[in-house]
Amino acid sequence: MKKWMLLFLMLLAACGTTNVEEEEGSNGNAAPDNEEDNSTFSGYVMDQNETSILVVDRIEPDGGEPIWVSGVKEDMWLGKKVEVTIDGPVAESNPMQGEAGEVTVLDPERPEGADLTEAQALASALSEVERGNALAIESLNFDEKENQWVVKLRSTVTESGSEKVIVPDEKFEEQ
């Protein structure tokens, strides 16, 4: 009887073991369940508060992919084109949410003949519209003949259509 009991315990113990190599990372250490790769998002800052910015892809057929990024330094972010590396998990809410690891401001484009950059024109347009919903850029064009920017924005949340904002191409002082 002792032999059968010993055999049963050995069989039971063998069933409960796992292959350690399959669960460990390449360095031999087990990876924590909550560790995720950093995600990178790029787009325009369409809204902001003291330590968070709302980054939305440029023109997307389905309305853009908005993400609130917290943990950014206090600055004038509105309208700037940025690339954001998220440190940690991304909350799959609408809009998504994540903690900033690194925020890089990309060089603003200035079309030939324009006084304002894309970022300045967009910031001016955003200051004139209600930003209650996450907005995406439908189009952002400089009209050299009229010396103005034509900015079309739309909600990423509702199907309320586009809002067109005309921004005169006049240099202004940044604050």
Side-chain angles (χ1 to χ4, degrees):
M1 181 74 167
K2 285 185 180 183
K3 287 183 183 181
W4 287 107
M5 186 64 120
L6 183 59
L7 182 60
F8 177 72
L9 287 176
M10 287 175 50
L11 185 59
L12 186 62
C15 290
T17 63
T18 58
N19 187 345
V20 174
E21 291 177 17
E22 290 178 10
E23 291 191 1
E24 291 181 355
S26 59
N27 62 2
N29 296 328
D33 290 342
N34 61 352
E35 184 177 310
E36 294 188 16
D37 294 335
N38 290 344
S39 301
T40 302
F41 295 87
S42 62
Y44 290 88
V45 178
M46 303 299 282
D47 204 353
Q48 75 176 78
N49 60 37
E50 290 178 8
T51 60
S52 298
I53 57 176
L54 179 66
V55 178
V56 182
D57 295 1
R58 179 139 185 192
I59 303 166
E60 288 288 321
D62 296 328
E65 199 60 43
I67 181 168
W68 271 108
V69 180
S70 59
V72 298
K73 67 178 184 173
E74 197 170 334
D75 197 356
M76 179 53 197
W77 292 100
L78 204 58
K80 292 181 179 177
K81 190 173 187 179
V82 296
E83 184 173 275
V84 179
T85 302
I86 302 299
D87 198 14
V90 174
E92 295 295 326
S93 56
N94 190 12
M96 296 182 293
Q97 299 175 38
E99 182 75 23
E102 183 178 347
V103 179
T104 304
V105 176
L106 304 176
D107 288 335
E109 295 180 27
R110 183 187 319 265
E112 190 173 324
D115 291 328
L116 300 178
T117 65
E118 274 188 347
Q120 292 168 325
L122 180 58
S124 182
L126 289 170
S127 70
E128 296 181 26
V129 298
E130 174 62 41
R131 295 189 313 263
N133 288 326
L135 297 173
I137 302 168
E138 190 171 294
S139 64
L140 175 61
N141 299 308
F142 174 63
D143 182 346
E144 188 172 9
K145 183 178 176 185
E146 298 292 326
N147 197 37
Q148 65 187 13
W149 288 83
V150 180
V151 183
K152 287 186 183 176
L153 304 168
R154 71 166 177 263
S155 171
T156 62
V157 181
T158 65
E159 294 184 23
S160 59
S162 298
E163 186 166 349
K164 182 178 174 180
V165 180
I166 302 296
V167 177
D169 187 50
E170 298 171 356
K171 194 72 171 167
F172 61 93
E173 289 188 31
E174 292 187 34
Q175 297 176 358

